[in-house]
Amino acid sequence: MHSINNFLNVSIGYLIKNWIAIVSLIFSYVTWYKNRKIITFDFNPNILLADPNSIICFTPSGEVESYEYCFVTSLSVVNPSNQDIGFFDLRAFNPETNINFQMVTSNTFPPDIQDKSLYQITDDTKLVKLDYPERKFGVFKANSFTKIDIVLVVSDKDNFDNITVNFKIPKKLHFSFLRDRFALTSRKIYAHKGFNYIIPGGSVKQIHSLREQQIQSENAKDNTQQQSE
């Protein structure tokens, strides 16, 4: 009992003498906890092959410029912290070759197009504006929600079965097994977020199938018009 009283007296005395340091430590922890870099991200689980030439933009004269074949998906990010969080090395690539796909950004637009708006023509012929990234790096604002539409321009000659979308945030990883195994630069030491999409049957098969559906649809419209005349 005597030893317990001595322990309590010593502990109370320590707290009284060092209360300023203890309060400062608690305050520092609370501040760090509130400002720690934590984001919530959700990749759209689906990636879809858009209808041919349905991804469009407009020239200064009002003419339509289109991309023939594009895969489209999206990424949603919530930054609940009180500070902005940067991201970089946003890329979409073939994980079998580690070669990037062409991702639409403001920098990939033709230089004569001043209006950098990008649209998708839907099945009901409506225009939907896409929130594509200006660059492959940027900032998730504090206490914000951000949606990024990922638009990948592809060829009907290059076949692939997977697409991986990935980006990094400035948070160092101390364990090598957590690092991005596809990164080729020293920035591999930073935390990365990603998602792998499987393309059933391969991209070429999907493009050919979509092309056949479009031909059949156009033929059906022509037949309907001929019958009504």
Side-chain angles (χ1 to χ4, degrees), residues 197-212:
Y197 296 95
I198 298 176
I199 312 301
S203 60
V204 169
K205 182 178 179 180
Q206 286 202 11
I207 289 174
H208 289 174
S209 176
L210 187 64
R211 185 186 296 161
E212 290 177 0

Side-chain angles (χ1 to χ4, degrees), residues 43 47 55 67 69-75 87-94 99-110 118 130-138 148-155 160 163-168 193-195 197:
F43 286 90
I47 189 166
I55 305 297
Y67 296 97
Y69 299 113
C70 293
F71 279 95
V72 181
T73 188
S74 62
L75 163 67
F87 71 91
F88 54 95
D89 288 353
L90 174 64
R91 61 189 294 241
F93 60 94
N94 184 343
I99 297 177
N100 289 340
F101 295 104
Q102 179 186 342
M103 182 186 298
V104 177
T105 67
S106 294
N107 290 339
T108 65
F109 266 63
L118 188 69
L130 298 174
D131 298 316
Y132 73 101
E134 292 186 8
R135 298 182 177 181
K136 295 181 181 179
F137 60 90
I148 300 176
D149 289 313
I150 306 295
V151 181
L152 307 176
V153 182
V154 298
S155 169
F160 48 88
I163 296 175
T164 298
V165 179
N166 201 345
F167 69 92
K168 296 183 180 65
K193 312 294 182 182
F195 194 90
Y197 296 95

Side-chain angles (χ1 to χ4, degrees), residues 12-178:
I12 293 172
Y14 178 84
L15 292 175
I16 293 174
K17 291 180 180 180
N18 299 278
W19 69 271
I20 295 178
I22 294 172
V23 171
S24 298
L25 180 63
I26 294 173
F27 180 78
S28 298
Y29 174 78
V30 171
T31 302
W32 168 84
Y33 184 82
K34 288 183 177 180
N35 294 327
R36 69 196 191 285
K37 295 180 178 180
I38 294 180
I39 62 174
T40 303
F41 65 96
D42 289 295
F43 286 90
N44 186 329
N46 301 310
I47 189 166
L48 301 177
L49 180 63
D51 290 337
N53 299 301
S54 64
I55 305 297
I56 66 171
C57 57
F58 295 96
T59 67
S61 61
E63 296 179 354
V64 174
E65 293 280 348
S66 65
Y67 296 97
E68 188 172 15
Y69 299 113
C70 293
F71 279 95
V72 181
T73 188
S74 62
L75 163 67
S76 299
V77 179
V78 176
N79 177 10
S81 71
N82 295 323
Q83 62 179 349
D84 297 346
I85 299 177
F87 71 91
F88 54 95
D89 288 353
L90 174 64
R91 61 189 294 241
F93 60 94
N94 184 343
E96 297 177 1
T97 63
N98 204 16
I99 297 177
N100 289 340
F101 295 104
Q102 179 186 342
M103 182 186 298
V104 177
T105 67
S106 294
N107 290 339
T108 65
F109 266 63
D112 61 323
I113 296 182
Q114 298 178 351
D115 182 2
K116 303 297 184 180
S117 299
L118 188 69
Y119 302 90
Q120 182 174 10
I121 304 174
T122 61
D123 292 337
D124 53 0
T125 66
K126 291 183 179 180
L127 285 182
V128 176
K129 188 173 182 179
L130 298 174
D131 298 316
Y132 73 101
E134 292 186 8
R135 298 182 177 181
K136 295 181 181 179
F137 60 90
V139 175
F140 299 126
K141 293 292 186 180
N143 302 305
S144 70
F145 170 83
T146 303
K147 179 176 179 289
I148 300 176
D149 289 313
I150 306 295
V151 181
L152 307 176
V153 182
V154 298
S155 169
D156 59 346
K157 298 179 181 178
D158 299 327
N159 192 38
F160 48 88
D161 301 306
N162 291 268
I163 296 175
T164 298
V165 179
N166 201 345
F167 69 92
K168 296 183 180 65
I169 59 175
K171 178 181 178 182
K172 286 188 176 181
L173 298 173
H174 300 289
F175 299 102
S176 59
F177 67 88
L178 294 175

